[in-house]
Amino acid sequence: MVGVMSLDGKITKGISSDIYKWTSLEDQKHFFSQIKKNNLLVMGSQTYEAARDKIKLTKEKLRVILTRDPQKYTPEEIPNILEFSSDSPKVLVKKLEARGYKKMLLLGGGIINSLFLKSSLVNELQITIEPKIFGLGKNLVSDDKLDVDLKLLEIKKLNSKGTLLLVYKVLI
Ligand SMILES: NC(=O)c1ccc[n+]([C@@H]2O[C@H](COP(=O)([O-])OP(=O)(O)OC[C@H]3O[C@@H](n4cnc5c(N)ncnc54)[C@H](OP(=O)(O)O)[C@@H]3O)[C@@H](O)[C@H]2O)c1
């Protein structure tokens, strides 16, 4: 799972879905390096809607968008490149494993992060903390009971302002 948040755990600044207005260039560099490294990207439909204009579809990568209404997106679907699914995280992972995928980059947002954490399907978190406090905004995980135990693997200061990249392993 990869994400960037304010110090108070917000992945959006208030109601604005444009995260590039407040994330640092260093975090964006990190994020796009992770995108480059992974051939399977999964995100929720709200994240997809927010990022749609910036997404560059390529033959080498499969993007799976989780929605409860995949039919709504049928005109956009491109098999093996852009797919829409209402499968539960467990079923989805099983199906993707059967297709040969070994690793998945989970891109959020908060609702989808919670779904995967709840199903114990996240093994590593790469979280960037921007030195900002928003008070209002969407949370890294949606309002739901979770009990996830983590171990810090790495901490990196990405710039002089103090943007921090934290890498955690999820303990089972
Ligand atoms: N800062 C960051 O790192 C970061 C990362 C990602 C996103 N974001 C921001 O976060 C916002 C989106 O986050 P979000 O939490 O609102 O939404 P989200 O997690 O991206 O997507 C939620 C959507 O997932 C679908 N969904 C929910 N439960 C499902 C289930 N059981 N099975 C299948 N699909 C299911 C639903 O889609 P339908 O409504 O289509 O049914 C739901 O609306 C955007 O503004 C984006 O810019 C920030």
Side-chain angles (χ1 to χ4, degrees):
M1 177 178 141
V2 67
V4 53
M5 62 183 202
S6 61
L7 183 61
D8 55 332
K10 303 295 178 195
I11 58 167
T12 64
K13 184 177 179 181
I15 57 164
S16 167
S17 62
D18 187 356
I19 65 165
Y20 298 104
K21 282 192 175 145
W22 56 270
T23 55
S24 60
L25 286 176
E26 292 79 10
D27 170 67
Q28 290 169 26
K29 211 171 135 192
H30 166 71
F31 177 72
F32 288 110
S33 75
Q34 291 306 308
I35 299 272
K36 211 171 168 189
K37 271 192 214 163
N38 285 275
N39 66 350
L40 174 60
L41 312 174
V42 175
M43 70 193 95
S45 73
Q46 303 301 316
T47 296
Y48 170 69
E49 303 271 0
R52 203 194 236 126
D53 297 345
K54 293 191 179 73
I55 293 176
K56 289 190 195 92
L57 298 174
T58 54
K59 273 191 279 179
E60 302 75 39
K61 275 188 213 312
L62 168 61
R63 286 171 166 87
V64 180
I65 317 302
L66 284 171
T67 169
R68 282 158 298 194
D69 185 10
Q71 278 186 343
K72 184 178 138 193
Y73 293 98
T74 305
E76 288 171 57
E77 188 137 47
I78 309 169
N80 300 312
I81 294 176
L82 182 65
E83 299 180 3
F84 297 84
S85 171
S86 58
D87 286 334
S88 71
K90 278 209 165 102
V91 170
L92 179 71
V93 165
K94 271 224 157 80
K95 284 185 181 171
L96 291 166
E97 275 173 353
R99 289 167 67 177
Y101 290 99
K102 306 230 176 309
K103 221 172 117 189
M104 164 192 291
L105 189 67
L106 188 64
L107 302 176
I111 293 171
I112 292 309
N113 288 342
S114 280
L115 273 184
F116 277 78
L117 285 167
K118 244 190 166 169
S119 310
S120 303
L121 286 167
V122 179
N123 62 334
E124 190 181 288
L125 280 82
Q126 301 204 0
I127 305 298
T128 301
I129 301 181
E130 295 290 359
K132 293 175 182 293
I133 294 174
F134 294 147
L136 290 176
K138 291 187 175 176
N139 295 318
L140 179 69
V141 291
S142 63
D143 245 359
D144 209 346
K145 202 168 135 194
L146 286 169
D147 185 4
V148 182
D149 208 10
L150 306 172
K151 181 175 191 263
L152 183 67
L153 297 180
E154 195 184 333
I155 177 161
K156 223 190 251 177
K157 189 175 162 191
L158 297 186
N159 56 29
S160 60
K161 209 178 165 221
T163 298
L164 299 178
L165 171 63
L166 306 173
V167 182
Y168 291 98
K169 174 188 159 84
V170 178
L171 301 175
I172 301 153

